[in-house]
Amino acid sequence: HETSLEFAPSVARAAVLKESSSLPEDMPQIKGYDFNQGVDHRALLQSFLTTGFQASSFGQAVQEINKMIEKRLEPVQEEQESCDSHSSASGCTIFLGYTSNLISSGVRESIRYLAQHRMVDVIVTTAGGIEEDFIKCLAPTYLGEFSLKGKELRQQGINRIGNLLVPNDNYCKFEDWLMPILDQMVLEQKTEGTHWTPSKMIHRLGKEINNPDSVYYWAYKNDIPVFSPALTDGSLGDMIYFHSYKNPGLVLDIVEDIRRLNSKAVFAKSTGMIILGGGLVKHHIANANLMRNGADFAVFVNTGQEFDGSDSGARPDEAISWGKIRMDASPVKVYADASIVFPLLVAETFAHNAARLIKEKNSD
Amino acid sequence: HETSLEFAPSVARAAVLKESSSLPEDMPQIKGYDFNQGVDHRALLQSFLTTGFQASSFGQAVQEINKMIEKRLEPVQEEQESCDSHSSASGCTIFLGYTSNLISSGVRESIRYLAQHRMVDVIVTTAGGIEEDFIKCLAPTYLGEFSLKGKELRQQGINRIGNLLVPNDNYCKFEDWLMPILDQMVLEQKTEGTHWTPSKMIHRLGKEINNPDSVYYWAYKNDIPVFSPALTDGSLGDMIYFHSYKNPGLVLDIVEDIRRLNSKAVFAKSTGMIILGGGLVKHHIANANLMRNGADFAVFVNTGQEFDGSDSGARPDEAISWGKIRMDASPVKVYADASIVFPLLVAETFAHNAARLIKEKNSD
Amino acid sequence: HETSLEFAPSVARAAVLKESSSLPEDMPQIKGYDFNQGVDHRALLQSFLTTGFQASSFGQAVQEINKMIEKRLEPVQEEQESCDSHSSASGCTIFLGYTSNLISSGVRESIRYLAQHRMVDVIVTTAGGIEEDFIKCLAPTYLGEFSLKGKELRQQGINRIGNLLVPNDNYCKFEDWLMPILDQMVLEQKTEGTHWTPSKMIHRLGKEINNPDSVYYWAYKNDIPVFSPALTDGSLGDMIYFHSYKNPGLVLDIVEDIRRLNSKAVFAKSTGMIILGGGLVKHHIANANLMRNGADFAVFVNTGQEFDGSDSGARPDEAISWGKIRMDASPVKVYADASIVFPLLVAETFAHNAARLIKEKNSD
Amino acid sequence: HETSLEFAPSVARAAVLKESSSLPEDMPQIKGYDFNQGVDHRALLQSFLTTGFQASSFGQAVQEINKMIEKRLEPVQEEQESCDSHSSASGCTIFLGYTSNLISSGVRESIRYLAQHRMVDVIVTTAGGIEEDFIKCLAPTYLGEFSLKGKELRQQGINRIGNLLVPNDNYCKFEDWLMPILDQMVLEQKTEGTHWTPSKMIHRLGKEINNPDSVYYWAYKNDIPVFSPALTDGSLGDMIYFHSYKNPGLVLDIVEDIRRLNSKAVFAKSTGMIILGGGLVKHHIANANLMRNGADFAVFVNTGQEFDGSDSGARPDEAISWGKIRMDASPVKVYADASIVFPLLVAETFAHNAARLIKEKNSD
């Protein structure tokens, strides 16, 4: 570089042309997918790891979830199983959390697949994340637009969730379905002393809906506990409120559920957290994992940011400070709308693995 | 413009120089604060209304909250008051919601001021929004940095909340304080048949803390109900969990609370919602206001966006489609971190109004 | 619903159970991908349209780009072609814009594919979007982490771009490559009267790099103009600055380029805009399309939001108010990091279409 | 804690009740403003430093800018001044950058104040950041709403910028004003050999507008250079494009400007960067400061995030890796819309300091 050295301001040249130390040899180089090799979607998704930015985070999330799946399939010693009734038979207890809107969206079908095939062990969601699943068994949700006017929609009785539309009649159908079940629940409480908790109520509703499209039908069938401590915060709460005037007395206790949820974490061999969105579902799963001094694996998918100090937007590294994720873990956050990212994650992890297992079985 | 017309591509000129219809004469012109008049903070904040972007939203939020305050002070007819025990004596029932991190931050002092002077009528927050207030009465929270490493912090037992730091010893002190109260609660449940709900527990804790720095001490003193249906989702839940092994049996029922919260909305003369952050607190207040076919006034302050279909990020117009805000309301969303915006909002609304009332009184 | 009507507060029931008008019969129902049918990536990506939120926006972007491609292939009348030298032979002139970081990332390979196969007609990017392409021909970029400390990196001479790392030596190599070319450019200016503009310089650099990995090599080969009015804002500017001390006199004129860019829009049959990221590249393409009273098709992929009044975050509907997009167009914005979304968009549009055409050709 | 130790799962207790190391004694405690002391805006803004989250970032930004101002006022040795013509007479050269939308908003008045009183030394903005200032001298901008429909606005010839509205007639008035100046510029180029650059053109326009409301009038009067390398990317470019058909030949060179800008950084005693928004203005100022091995002080105010690898959203720490900010600096990023934050920052820094100086002078 001597030629221009003498002419240019030397401080500028020194700053701009500072020499660099060499990087480790095994450091991955950035390289995207080459479409000259045709459209091979799987190769494309695998190339994300070296594409950078959130594509790389996606690739790392695939690896992290596949570690959970592998660990989950590890044989658990019989001895351990027998001596402790709390103990999970799974090598890795996977906690899946998601916000209500994802059940309203078509991500529901990915979640239902996981519940149907018992690929996750514990579910945490909000009230809407419960009721919208049942309501969709009664009537459809539609694709609209983010910019539709609230006033016009209200006049027509159409509720908007982002770019989704839910006719209010769907909630009327939900009431028709739910009221007799609430009657029955009150009866059982009074006559059999049933101590209702949100998770028990969700289990019961999953049984009652008796529909293979439902996430909670499968959670019921496969005995996957579903936690939703603020179960009254939504249409379920509206109906419970109305019902309380007609047939009062129902009690929904949240103490028994926190004990049950925490036990799932405490007595697990290892745990993984897959959390879509923020708010209660993110905090509740992470807090339960503090009870075991941290989850072993973690994948967060959300659009939140840390700058406002919210738990929703916090990076996984904040959870490490609290002991909610292990200090030696390699948690991944993907900054993205889960509607795009979660189906792709399931494709490259749970579903891919299932397809592989079937193939191996068939070839035996 | 004839001169260049003949030379330039005419389609381009026509598109660029399209004539405009005139705007309404009373449309506000954009004009920022002129610092040549010196630093007059109040005038500066008033100039925000015509500054554009979120500064204008701030100005509109000030107007909207001042409408709530004015309505709240309207005399309520005696007749109405007497004939309905649910009925609020206030012309406008103000629901205040906020996420846990704001109690961890210095926004707590603004919220405490509102509770202390009974300027709001109903509070909704998350578990952390409750316990962090009590913990701050026991030991301080510190200012750190967003980039501090989780592993090093965990090794030192320091928990990070954004750029705040909370020594873990604070939670040990919380346990020492809480455990005897939990014993007492179980005792009262067993001996007096107390039916505990989250709001009743918060009321009791506010009494026990007996400290004027506490938001919930003042909520207790001023009989402001505080709702937090997922009260087990945090350190309170951890302690309840531990306590359940030593002294089991506590029941926290969320059904009675949803009835109580909804009644606050249903029987109000008019309602206003002030919601800081998203998640449960935003949904829970808005859902309660659906019970009255919509709030009359609403101010949201948060950093969420609508594109992912989350309730947290939804614009107020989405709530109108659901009937959670009235069709003829003029709700305001300020896209900002509440740590900057909320103290300024309080300054220009509640606190300004209080100062004005005192002045008027003194001048009589 | 009569049963509980008499008991519950009637206003609440009326609000919650408001009847709805029926939606149009052809309104798409929300339905996600069913993994029980195995992992069919193409079917999965097609299911995004009815998945909701940004997945639906992705599906709409696929449709919008496919409309551009279809229109672009429409035969153009000979007559039109002959009578106007400015006139494009393409039925739709596609403007592609992207920020610098995407060239640093593996999205570069998708962009290079589009330039290589002449699938786009005009490119707009920033200085970094030019130089990083050439630098990558000289030495690789690596995958790092967002949280690596700036001070330690600077001490080692490693530059960070999000989670990418670029050794500073790469820029030294760039200087070695660029300086003789700058000498030659000054010579040609002086001896041949070459009037240099950013687009001419980029064209020349594309020729000089002579490397099929380079986007601008292919832009040179395929005569795709590349605009970058602030070409001095980056390492190219650093080098031009140093060079100006040794061999002064180079002039880079931006007036000729604006005329050239605008002509591309004005004389196009129809236009489509595909813009990844915000800032200059978004504004510059949209402004050129104002010259034709608006683009016919538009897809924006970025993470910006409208609340701060930035052009970067503005929804396409804002561009319609300016005449930058046609009033009858159906522009699409996908709120997402382009590193995940753009390769998937290319897969479902340009690359899919190319594969289809090859198949059709072979089957003839 | 012994009482419940024996009962609760010991691993959970150990994790939750981990003891903490003590924090440094001088660590600031979180404490917000107490409105019981009345509404003292200045005390309120000072309390932001210990309020946490972005309020604390605001407080740190105030400190950082005040450091720039203090340094700027330090006496510079005569000797140094005389021996180097490039050398700045200021102890700290302050670079101010902002995006176009802020000139459209009322933030313009804050910026104008800084230019009027020569409180900053170098300005960088985009084309819109130039032209909107002049256009506002010709006709006003109005407050509208983010949700106004683009199609209806276009039909009326009203342009939307976030929640601002600009009648298209304003741009017609701008053409009438600008065309004769462009004629004159071409004439001077031809007759006097004027070598036009964006900064020279802005200087000339500032002189021509001759209006104390204009930022660039004051920049002209106070000889503050204004850089905008992509000056053709906006209405100015539209007009230059039209003009080029009528009176061709204008050359705007960006090479001379990059040399001029870099010299401002290289020969400064120390430098501070205040950058509102992202894109070109952020990169251009930071890149110039690389020429001096990094700025000494830096404040960024924007809403961008780092996850997509954009320069706009990058934290200051990324700039340290590049040598654009000094390794020992304490740069601050405030995540906020500048329309709220920048006027408040000016109030607590430049304007407060000016008021203080006047007071001190008067008391002498």
Side-chain angles (χ1 to χ4, degrees), chain C residues 280-299:
Chain C
L280 183 136
V281 304
K282 182 165 181 257
H283 190 273
H284 209 43
I285 290 177
N287 197 79
N289 277 274
L290 165 57
M291 299 301 123
R292 68 188 318 280
N293 205 20
D296 301 87
F297 308 100
V299 168

PDB file of all heavy atoms in Angstrom, chain C residues 280-299:
ATOM      1  N   LEU C 280     -32.115   4.502   1.559  1.00  0.00           N
ATOM      2  CA  LEU C 280     -31.961   5.022   0.203  1.00  0.00           C
ATOM      3  C   LEU C 280     -32.524   4.079  -0.861  1.00  0.00           C
ATOM      4  O   LEU C 280     -33.176   4.527  -1.805  1.00  0.00           O
ATOM      5  CB  LEU C 280     -30.485   5.287  -0.071  1.00  0.00           C
ATOM      6  CG  LEU C 280     -30.188   5.902  -1.429  1.00  0.00           C
ATOM      7  CD1 LEU C 280     -29.175   7.025  -1.292  1.00  0.00           C
ATOM      8  CD2 LEU C 280     -29.699   4.864  -2.428  1.00  0.00           C
ATOM      9  N   VAL C 281     -32.288   2.790  -0.739  1.00  0.00           N
ATOM     10  CA  VAL C 281     -32.668   1.894  -1.838  1.00  0.00           C
ATOM     11  C   VAL C 281     -34.184   1.860  -2.011  1.00  0.00           C
ATOM     12  O   VAL C 281     -34.691   1.780  -3.136  1.00  0.00           O
ATOM     13  CB  VAL C 281     -32.106   0.460  -1.642  1.00  0.00           C
ATOM     14  CG1 VAL C 281     -30.594   0.513  -1.470  1.00  0.00           C
ATOM     15  CG2 VAL C 281     -32.748  -0.275  -0.488  1.00  0.00           C
ATOM     16  N   LYS C 282     -34.893   1.949  -0.909  1.00  0.00           N
ATOM     17  CA  LYS C 282     -36.358   1.930  -0.989  1.00  0.00           C
ATOM     18  C   LYS C 282     -36.859   3.237  -1.598  1.00  0.00           C
ATOM     19  O   LYS C 282     -37.705   3.235  -2.496  1.00  0.00           O
ATOM     20  CB  LYS C 282     -36.944   1.709   0.404  1.00  0.00           C
ATOM     21  CG  LYS C 282     -38.451   1.625   0.450  1.00  0.00           C
ATOM     22  CD  LYS C 282     -38.949   1.041   1.771  1.00  0.00           C
ATOM     23  CE  LYS C 282     -40.453   0.933   1.819  1.00  0.00           C
ATOM     24  NZ  LYS C 282     -41.113   1.962   2.618  1.00  0.00           N
ATOM     25  N   HIS C 283     -36.336   4.321  -1.095  1.00  0.00           N
ATOM     26  CA  HIS C 283     -36.819   5.615  -1.572  1.00  0.00           C
ATOM     27  C   HIS C 283     -36.448   5.841  -3.026  1.00  0.00           C
ATOM     28  O   HIS C 283     -37.249   6.381  -3.806  1.00  0.00           O
ATOM     29  CB  HIS C 283     -36.251   6.743  -0.711  1.00  0.00           C
ATOM     30  CG  HIS C 283     -36.897   8.063  -0.993  1.00  0.00           C
ATOM     31  ND1 HIS C 283     -36.452   8.903  -1.986  1.00  0.00           N
ATOM     32  CD2 HIS C 283     -37.989   8.654  -0.459  1.00  0.00           C
ATOM     33  CE1 HIS C 283     -37.231   9.973  -2.023  1.00  0.00           C
ATOM     34  NE2 HIS C 283     -38.166   9.845  -1.110  1.00  0.00           N
ATOM     35  N   HIS C 284     -35.256   5.421  -3.399  1.00  0.00           N
ATOM     36  CA  HIS C 284     -34.755   5.762  -4.732  1.00  0.00           C
ATOM     37  C   HIS C 284     -35.550   5.043  -5.823  1.00  0.00           C
ATOM     38  O   HIS C 284     -35.898   5.632  -6.846  1.00  0.00           O
ATOM     39  CB  HIS C 284     -33.275   5.391  -4.824  1.00  0.00           C
ATOM     40  CG  HIS C 284     -32.503   6.250  -5.778  1.00  0.00           C
ATOM     41  ND1 HIS C 284     -32.651   7.611  -5.861  1.00  0.00           N
ATOM     42  CD2 HIS C 284     -31.556   5.943  -6.710  1.00  0.00           C
ATOM     43  CE1 HIS C 284     -31.836   8.095  -6.784  1.00  0.00           C
ATOM     44  NE2 HIS C 284     -31.173   7.108  -7.312  1.00  0.00           N
ATOM     45  N   ILE C 285     -35.862   3.788  -5.589  1.00  0.00           N
ATOM     46  CA  ILE C 285     -36.646   3.040  -6.579  1.00  0.00           C
ATOM     47  C   ILE C 285     -38.076   3.580  -6.636  1.00  0.00           C
ATOM     48  O   ILE C 285     -38.640   3.782  -7.719  1.00  0.00           O
ATOM     49  CB  ILE C 285     -36.639   1.528  -6.238  1.00  0.00           C
ATOM     50  CG1 ILE C 285     -35.244   0.953  -6.479  1.00  0.00           C
ATOM     51  CG2 ILE C 285     -37.691   0.786  -7.054  1.00  0.00           C
ATOM     52  CD1 ILE C 285     -35.108  -0.516  -6.108  1.00  0.00           C
ATOM     53  N   ALA C 286     -38.647   3.832  -5.474  1.00  0.00           N
ATOM     54  CA  ALA C 286     -40.033   4.313  -5.454  1.00  0.00           C
ATOM     55  C   ALA C 286     -40.129   5.697  -6.096  1.00  0.00           C
ATOM     56  O   ALA C 286     -41.077   5.986  -6.842  1.00  0.00           O
ATOM     57  CB  ALA C 286     -40.559   4.340  -4.021  1.00  0.00           C
ATOM     58  N   ASN C 287     -39.140   6.529  -5.839  1.00  0.00           N
ATOM     59  CA  ASN C 287     -39.160   7.877  -6.411  1.00  0.00           C
ATOM     60  C   ASN C 287     -39.064   7.811  -7.940  1.00  0.00           C
ATOM     61  O   ASN C 287     -39.754   8.556  -8.654  1.00  0.00           O
ATOM     62  CB  ASN C 287     -38.007   8.705  -5.841  1.00  0.00           C
ATOM     63  CG  ASN C 287     -38.215  10.189  -6.059  1.00  0.00           C
ATOM     64  OD1 ASN C 287     -38.965  10.838  -5.340  1.00  0.00           O
ATOM     65  ND2 ASN C 287     -37.560  10.741  -7.098  1.00  0.00           N
ATOM     66  N   ALA C 288     -38.242   6.916  -8.440  1.00  0.00           N
ATOM     67  CA  ALA C 288     -38.142   6.761  -9.906  1.00  0.00           C
ATOM     68  C   ALA C 288     -39.485   6.322 -10.478  1.00  0.00           C
ATOM     69  O   ALA C 288     -39.883   6.745 -11.573  1.00  0.00           O
ATOM     70  CB  ALA C 288     -37.047   5.758 -10.255  1.00  0.00           C
ATOM     71  N   ASN C 289     -40.193   5.498  -9.739  1.00  0.00           N
ATOM     72  CA  ASN C 289     -41.481   5.009 -10.231  1.00  0.00           C
ATOM     73  C   ASN C 289     -42.588   6.055 -10.145  1.00  0.00           C
ATOM     74  O   ASN C 289     -43.625   5.915 -10.805  1.00  0.00           O
ATOM     75  CB  ASN C 289     -41.869   3.705  -9.535  1.00  0.00           C
ATOM     76  CG  ASN C 289     -41.204   2.506 -10.191  1.00  0.00           C
ATOM     77  OD1 ASN C 289     -41.724   1.956 -11.155  1.00  0.00           O
ATOM     78  ND2 ASN C 289     -40.013   2.144  -9.725  1.00  0.00           N
ATOM     79  N   LEU C 290     -42.373   7.077  -9.335  1.00  0.00           N
ATOM     80  CA  LEU C 290     -43.294   8.222  -9.368  1.00  0.00           C
ATOM     81  C   LEU C 290     -43.287   8.850 -10.762  1.00  0.00           C
ATOM     82  O   LEU C 290     -44.312   9.333 -11.243  1.00  0.00           O
ATOM     83  CB  LEU C 290     -42.874   9.247  -8.305  1.00  0.00           C
ATOM     84  CG  LEU C 290     -43.462  10.657  -8.404  1.00  0.00           C
ATOM     85  CD1 LEU C 290     -44.976  10.657  -8.385  1.00  0.00           C
ATOM     86  CD2 LEU C 290     -42.945  11.541  -7.266  1.00  0.00           C
ATOM     87  N   MET C 291     -42.131   8.808 -11.418  1.00  0.00           N
ATOM     88  CA  MET C 291     -41.995   9.428 -12.755  1.00  0.00           C
ATOM     89  C   MET C 291     -42.940   8.796 -13.780  1.00  0.00           C
ATOM     90  O   MET C 291     -43.181   9.373 -14.829  1.00  0.00           O
ATOM     91  CB  MET C 291     -40.546   9.307 -13.260  1.00  0.00           C
ATOM     92  CG  MET C 291     -39.518  10.000 -12.396  1.00  0.00           C
ATOM     93  SD  MET C 291     -39.812  11.772 -12.212  1.00  0.00           S
ATOM     94  CE  MET C 291     -39.910  11.887 -10.423  1.00  0.00           C
ATOM     95  N   ARG C 292     -43.415   7.595 -13.475  1.00  0.00           N
ATOM     96  CA  ARG C 292     -44.367   6.943 -14.386  1.00  0.00           C
ATOM     97  C   ARG C 292     -45.747   6.849 -13.744  1.00  0.00           C
ATOM     98  O   ARG C 292     -46.560   6.032 -14.157  1.00  0.00           O
ATOM     99  CB  ARG C 292     -43.862   5.576 -14.820  1.00  0.00           C
ATOM    100  CG  ARG C 292     -43.814   4.552 -13.708  1.00  0.00           C
ATOM    101  CD  ARG C 292     -43.136   3.271 -14.147  1.00  0.00           C
ATOM    102  NE  ARG C 292     -43.537   2.880 -15.469  1.00  0.00           N
ATOM    103  CZ  ARG C 292     -44.662   2.251 -15.779  1.00  0.00           C
ATOM    104  NH1 ARG C 292     -45.505   1.914 -14.824  1.00  0.00           N
ATOM    105  NH2 ARG C 292     -44.938   1.947 -17.023  1.00  0.00           N
ATOM    106  N   ASN C 293     -45.965   7.683 -12.740  1.00  0.00           N
ATOM    107  CA  ASN C 293     -47.232   7.676 -12.010  1.00  0.00           C
ATOM    108  C   ASN C 293     -47.476   6.369 -11.276  1.00  0.00           C
ATOM    109  O   ASN C 293     -48.624   5.974 -11.050  1.00  0.00           O
ATOM    110  CB  ASN C 293     -48.411   7.997 -12.937  1.00  0.00           C
ATOM    111  CG  ASN C 293     -49.594   8.578 -12.181  1.00  0.00           C
ATOM    112  OD1 ASN C 293     -49.431   9.084 -11.067  1.00  0.00           O
ATOM    113  ND2 ASN C 293     -50.764   8.474 -12.768  1.00  0.00           N
ATOM    114  N   GLY C 294     -46.395   5.710 -10.867  1.00  0.00           N
ATOM    115  CA  GLY C 294     -46.528   4.561  -9.990  1.00  0.00           C
ATOM    116  C   GLY C 294     -46.154   3.228 -10.606  1.00  0.00           C
ATOM    117  O   GLY C 294     -46.446   2.948 -11.766  1.00  0.00           O
ATOM    118  N   ALA C 295     -45.540   2.411  -9.777  1.00  0.00           N
ATOM    119  CA  ALA C 295     -45.221   1.044 -10.190  1.00  0.00           C
ATOM    120  C   ALA C 295     -46.515   0.238 -10.268  1.00  0.00           C
ATOM    121  O   ALA C 295     -47.482   0.512  -9.560  1.00  0.00           O
ATOM    122  CB  ALA C 295     -44.265   0.403  -9.192  1.00  0.00           C
ATOM    123  N   ASP C 296     -46.488  -0.758 -11.127  1.00  0.00           N
ATOM    124  CA  ASP C 296     -47.663  -1.623 -11.273  1.00  0.00           C
ATOM    125  C   ASP C 296     -47.685  -2.731 -10.223  1.00  0.00           C
ATOM    126  O   ASP C 296     -48.753  -3.212  -9.850  1.00  0.00           O
ATOM    127  CB  ASP C 296     -47.670  -2.228 -12.682  1.00  0.00           C
ATOM    128  CG  ASP C 296     -47.704  -1.141 -13.744  1.00  0.00           C
ATOM    129  OD1 ASP C 296     -46.616  -0.652 -14.130  1.00  0.00           O
ATOM    130  OD2 ASP C 296     -48.808  -0.745 -14.146  1.00  0.00           O
ATOM    131  N   PHE C 297     -46.494  -3.125  -9.797  1.00  0.00           N
ATOM    132  CA  PHE C 297     -46.369  -4.223  -8.831  1.00  0.00           C
ATOM    133  C   PHE C 297     -45.310  -3.846  -7.796  1.00  0.00           C
ATOM    134  O   PHE C 297     -44.333  -3.156  -8.140  1.00  0.00           O
ATOM    135  CB  PHE C 297     -45.924  -5.515  -9.522  1.00  0.00           C
ATOM    136  CG  PHE C 297     -46.771  -5.885 -10.712  1.00  0.00           C
ATOM    137  CD1 PHE C 297     -46.351  -5.623 -12.010  1.00  0.00           C
ATOM    138  CD2 PHE C 297     -48.008  -6.484 -10.533  1.00  0.00           C
ATOM    139  CE1 PHE C 297     -47.139  -5.956 -13.106  1.00  0.00           C
ATOM    140  CE2 PHE C 297     -48.810  -6.826 -11.622  1.00  0.00           C
ATOM    141  CZ  PHE C 297     -48.373  -6.555 -12.916  1.00  0.00           C
ATOM    142  N   ALA C 298     -45.476  -4.297  -6.575  1.00  0.00           N
ATOM    143  CA  ALA C 298     -44.468  -3.965  -5.559  1.00  0.00           C
ATOM    144  C   ALA C 298     -44.448  -4.996  -4.438  1.00  0.00           C
ATOM    145  O   ALA C 298     -45.508  -5.411  -3.953  1.00  0.00           O
ATOM    146  CB  ALA C 298     -44.731  -2.582  -4.967  1.00  0.00           C
ATOM    147  N   VAL C 299     -43.244  -5.378  -4.052  1.00  0.00           N
ATOM    148  CA  VAL C 299     -43.038  -6.222  -2.878  1.00  0.00           C
ATOM    149  C   VAL C 299     -41.934  -5.596  -2.037  1.00  0.00           C
ATOM    150  O   VAL C 299     -40.832  -5.358  -2.539  1.00  0.00           O
ATOM    151  CB  VAL C 299     -42.642  -7.664  -3.278  1.00  0.00           C
ATOM    152  CG1 VAL C 299     -42.153  -8.444  -2.060  1.00  0.00           C
ATOM    153  CG2 VAL C 299     -43.831  -8.376  -3.910  1.00  0.00           C
TER     154      VAL C 299
END
